[in-house]
Amino acid sequence: MTVTALIVAAGKGERLGGDMPKQYRSIGGKPVLRWAVEALSGHRSIDQVRVVIGEGQQAVAQDALKGLDVGDLIEGGPERSDSVMNGLQAITTGAVLVHDAARPFCPPDVVDRLLSALEGNDGAVPVLPVADTLALGDRVLEEPVDRKRLLRVQTPQAFHVEDLIYAYEEAGRKAATDESTVMLTAGLKVATVPGDPMLEKLTTAADWSRAEAILASRLVSRTGMGFDVHAFDGEGPIMLGGVAVPHSRGLAGHSDADVVLHALTDALLGAAGLGDIGEHFPPSDAQWKGASSDLFLRHAAELVRSRGGIIDHVDVTIIAEEPKVGPHRPAIRERVAAILSIGQSQVSIKATTTEGLGFTGRGEGMAAQAVASVRMGIAAE
């Protein structure tokens, strides 16, 4: 049986506010939608993932899902039920897991339980018990409500595609809050399996803070180191940390020979376990001749964030007898922070000499060493 995960991402996210729908907002360095897709696409029992988006969301969705195999994006409709039906018509057969994009963290064992329960049932949903005391009332508390048989229903929800299509045709598309409601209205049987607090939906600002805290608890601190050196050659100025520093001599290199940005790029790539700058931007490639090194550093930062990483701090030591770095330190710090999209307080720029020793002491060139501290998932690759 083919299993398809159908992720519904057509909402406007109006309750959260802001100009961008919540499924495209970033959390832990990645769009919420990308978290949801990656959680299901990596499951061994799921054969394909399809995504339903809202009208006019094509560009932002493609950017959020860059590099992921989700087939052609499916345009939804004015109501959730319309969006789900559009997705079902693109699948037509097998089993389907209908999931809200606003629930970015789906534990794999929940999927296992759903697919197991689907054998012998028309559908299966993850649920959690209600822990709080429940009561009726408005401004004044009235009679309590027995919570013993009350459940909180989550997604993903598992169904046979043909059954869910039949249920929509029987029950209609009247503002159903989820697919289990449609199935029950059509007289079909839906089993329950234990849900998971990780599947809580992002709706309010408080939910967002909670999700960030969940992510932080899953991240570990990682450190990368970088080192670069370039010889003096030709005329100045010298590029240091993206800033043109006046000097009588320039630096030799295939790109702009920015020792600060090169060392930082290697430090970030090292922290993420992604090789070195030469692998990503080989000097044998003519397209990088004379290139601005901010391209290299920005690329490394994007790779870290695309894997859910958070850049906490970078520290650079420039090693040279000349030019004097002190007068240019604030500008370099500001520029590095801008390239990495972090605060200036997260950037340290230092300089030292080798007291006349070695090639830098003889004034033959410059060097820089860098350390980057990032937080990434334990299983990040």
Side-chain angles (χ1 to χ4, degrees):
M1 180 176 61
T2 300
V3 178
T4 300
L6 182 65
I7 298 181
V8 184
K12 298 179 181 179
E14 293 172 335
R15 277 180 288 180
L16 190 62
D19 298 329
M20 180 175 290
K22 60 188 174 185
Q23 62 267 32
Y24 302 116
R25 294 190 183 190
S26 179
I27 182 170
K30 287 193 291 190
V32 168
L33 175 57
R34 190 178 186 92
W35 282 106
V37 170
E38 289 180 345
L40 293 176
S41 63
H43 194 282
R44 63 184 181 278
S45 296
I46 295 177
D47 300 293
Q48 62 177 345
V49 176
R50 301 300 302 274
V51 179
V52 183
I53 63 171
E55 182 181 2
Q57 296 178 0
Q58 187 82 15
V60 66
Q62 287 178 336
D63 186 59
L65 299 172
K66 189 181 302 179
L68 298 179
D69 183 11
V70 295
D72 294 331
L73 297 174
I74 304 164
E75 186 169 308
E79 301 292 341
R80 175 193 172 87
S81 54
D82 299 312
S83 297
V84 173
M85 276 299 290
N86 288 356
L88 293 175
Q89 289 163 4
I91 299 169
T92 69
T93 188
V96 62
L97 292 164
V98 183
H99 189 46
D100 297 325
R103 302 179 193 266
F105 313 126
C106 182
D109 55 346
V110 172
V111 174
D112 293 335
R113 292 195 288 268
L114 286 169
L115 293 178
S116 178
L118 191 57
E119 298 178 10
N121 291 286
D122 302 317
V125 298
V127 298
L128 290 177
V130 176
D132 298 315
T133 296
L134 298 178
L136 299 177
D138 186 4
R139 294 179 180 274
V140 178
L141 190 66
E142 299 176 12
E143 65 269 21
V145 175
D146 186 0
R147 69 186 184 195
K148 289 181 180 177
R149 299 185 68 246
L150 295 180
L151 298 171
R152 296 165 54 205
V153 181
Q154 303 176 309
T155 74
Q157 300 181 0
F159 310 99
H160 301 285
V161 173
E162 296 90 341
D163 288 341
L164 187 52
I165 292 176
Y166 163 80
Y168 267 116
E169 291 172 346
E170 285 291 305
R173 304 188 188 185
K174 299 291 186 181
T177 56
D178 73 349
E179 286 58 59
S180 66
T181 306
V182 177
M183 295 285 285
L184 294 175
T185 302
L188 298 176
K189 181 181 178 181
V190 179
T192 63
V193 302
D196 196 293
M198 291 287 286
L199 283 169
E200 296 291 343
K201 191 174 183 179
L202 298 179
T203 302
T204 67
D207 297 329
W208 213 266
S209 299
R210 171 185 51 78
E212 290 281 9
I214 289 174
L215 268 183
S217 70
R218 298 168 59 188
L219 301 178
V220 295
S221 181
R222 299 169 65 158
T223 302
M225 299 182 66
F227 180 79
D228 192 52
V229 57
H230 286 282
F232 284 120
D233 184 51
E235 299 180 352
I238 291 170
M239 294 302 297
L240 286 181
V243 174
V245 174
H247 194 253
S248 59
R249 294 184 291 172
L251 289 173
H254 185 65
S255 60
D256 62 5
D258 191 322
V259 292
V260 171
L261 298 191
H262 290 184
L264 274 172
T265 299
D266 262 350
L268 281 178
L269 292 173
L274 296 172
D276 58 39
I277 191 172
E279 294 180 49
H280 294 263
F281 304 97
S284 57
D285 192 334
Q287 69 173 311
W288 307 122
K289 184 173 177 59
S292 176
S293 295
D294 61 346
L295 297 174
F296 308 159
L297 183 57
R298 189 172 288 110
H299 174 76
E302 289 173 353
L303 286 177
V304 169
R305 293 191 174 104
S306 71
R307 286 157 173 77
I310 299 171
I311 301 172
D312 283 330
H313 191 264
V314 295
D315 181 25
V316 183
T317 299
I318 302 169
I319 306 167
E321 299 293 325
E322 56 179 25
K324 297 300 181 184
V325 174
H328 309 285
R329 193 193 319 266
I332 295 173
R333 190 181 186 197
E334 179 180 2
R335 180 60 182 151
V336 168
I339 295 170
L340 293 175
S341 297
I342 60 178
Q344 292 187 44
S345 63
Q346 296 169 272
V347 178
S348 171
I349 303 295
K350 310 189 302 294
T352 189
T353 70
T354 55
E355 302 293 339
L357 301 175
F359 76 93
T360 57
R362 295 190 297 270
E364 297 173 2
M366 300 183 69
Q369 58 185 20
V371 177
S373 299
V374 306
R375 281 174 290 152
M376 299 186 75
I378 296 174
E381 294 181 359

